[in-house]
Amino acid sequence: MADDASSSGTSITLLLSSTLVLALGALIGWYILSKQSAAISQKSLAIASGTSTISQPKNTVVITGPMGSGKTSLWCHLRFPATSASSAAPRTQTSMAINAAHMDEGRAYLVDVPGHQKFRFDRDTQLKAARAVVFVVDSVQVARDIRATAETLYDVLANASVQENECPVLVLCNKQDDALALPNIRVKEMLEEEIDGLRGSRQAGLDSLQDTADDDAAVEEKAGDYLGIDGKKFVFEDLCHPVQFNESSMVIGHDAGGLEQVEQWISESLHT
């Protein structure tokens, strides 16, 4: 009986020790990510205010889109293509921190911005230095979340820096391994229809602003938000910067998941 009790006590001690180690590791990981995110956010604030003395890399690729669409999984795949060539990227959770790192020996600087609304400022600041943008869409949920998805994409496409630099945008229709996923052609049609409707509501807001605002600069800035050609149904081909639609799946691996095409698109976009 004494031996059994001793063995049981040892097992409990080992279990508690293992749990403590795991919890400590998770805490350290969270701390590092928080520090990294805070540093990038501070850098974003400095760049936006014009007080930064650090220039952004000239090969910045911003990965953005709604929450839960697979942005961080894409970031992992692009950073470590050799390890994910025939397997899925590590399982990730909804990011609450910005991830940024070079890929392929510095060929591109990837910035993964979380889709939460509180990161809108960071996203818009990062877009100032973007040479290319990858907008990731959940092809399974997009029909249900079409309004929010279209609004987020509208904000990216209407961003002053994106328009001024004619920054190429890749809309990546992710999670194509799911039987309920919509093909990229259908996603494109749905987004065009929704953005066409958003133009009307945003134009009405601009008209109201023109009637009441004393700040001409604010009115002029809002006027630049209009996408496409006035009087014509919205299509992505009418934008001043190229927009391409691709399909992907992070689950079935780098090669089979269509990520080789994403890498090729990034390479071509950075060398145009």
Side-chain angles (χ1 to χ4, degrees), residues 25 86 95 166 169 182 193 229 243 260 264:
S86 59
S95 295
E166 297 185 358
V169 177
L182 297 177
E193 182 176 350
I229 300 175
V243 179
E260 185 177 354
Q264 181 179 355

Side-chain angles (χ1 to χ4, degrees), residues 84-232:
S84 63
S86 59
S87 60
R91 183 179 295 274
T92 59
Q93 295 180 339
T94 299
S95 295
M96 294 307 293
I98 298 174
N99 299 304
H102 288 280
M103 66 169 280
D104 195 11
E105 299 180 351
R107 181 164 58 90
Y109 184 68
L110 302 176
V111 181
D112 164 33
V113 184
H116 194 279
Q117 286 297 307
K118 77 173 187 177
F119 286 94
R120 287 187 60 182
F121 173 80
D122 294 282
R123 180 200 66 200
D124 291 344
T125 303
Q126 294 296 334
L127 287 175
K128 291 183 178 181
R131 287 284 306 279
V133 178
V134 181
F135 188 90
V136 187
V137 175
D138 183 340
S139 302
V140 179
Q141 300 293 333
V142 65
R144 188 187 68 178
D145 302 331
I146 187 61
R147 181 74 174 187
T149 302
E151 286 179 339
T152 305
L153 180 57
Y154 196 116
D155 290 338
V156 171
L157 296 175
N159 180 273
S161 298
V162 171
Q163 292 193 357
E164 181 180 349
N165 299 327
E166 297 185 358
C167 188
V169 177
L170 175 65
V171 180
L172 194 61
C173 303
N174 192 31
K175 304 187 181 181
Q176 289 294 319
D177 54 282
D178 194 302
L180 298 178
L182 297 177
N184 60 346
I185 295 176
R186 179 57 184 145
V187 173
K188 180 175 182 287
E189 292 172 348
M190 293 174 64
L191 286 171
E192 285 179 334
E193 182 176 350
E194 195 67 29
I195 289 176
D196 189 59
L198 283 172
R199 292 193 310 177
S201 59
R202 294 199 178 198
Q203 184 62 42
L206 175 62
D207 293 340
S208 176
L209 181 63
Q210 288 175 327
D211 292 338
T212 59
D214 296 325
D215 189 348
D216 293 337
V219 174
E220 183 178 351
E221 180 181 354
K222 288 293 183 182
D225 286 353
Y226 193 86
L227 296 178
I229 300 175
D230 191 13
K232 178 185 176 184

Side-chain angles (χ1 to χ4, degrees), residues 34-44:
S34 297
K35 281 292 190 181
Q36 181 191 47
S37 179
I40 297 174
S41 294
Q42 287 296 324
K43 184 177 179 182
S44 296

Side-chain angles (χ1 to χ4, degrees), residues 8-98:
S8 177
T10 301
S11 298
I12 293 174
T13 300
L14 290 173
L15 179 61
L16 290 174
S17 299
S18 299
T19 302
L20 181 60
V21 169
L22 290 173
L24 182 60
L27 182 61
I28 293 174
W30 174 85
Y31 177 78
I32 292 173
L33 284 175
S34 297
K35 281 292 190 181
Q36 181 191 47
S37 179
I40 297 174
S41 294
Q42 287 296 324
K43 184 177 179 182
S44 296
L45 182 60
I47 293 172
S49 62
T51 60
S52 174
T53 59
I54 303 175
S55 60
Q56 283 281 81
K58 298 183 183 301
N59 56 350
T60 298
V61 178
V62 175
I63 302 174
T64 186
M67 293 178 63
S69 57
K71 298 181 296 297
T72 302
S73 292
L74 173 64
W75 185 80
C76 291
H77 267 296
L78 294 176
R79 277 204 67 200
F80 311 107
T83 58
S84 63
S86 59
S87 60
R91 183 179 295 274
T92 59
Q93 295 180 339
T94 299
S95 295
M96 294 307 293
I98 298 174

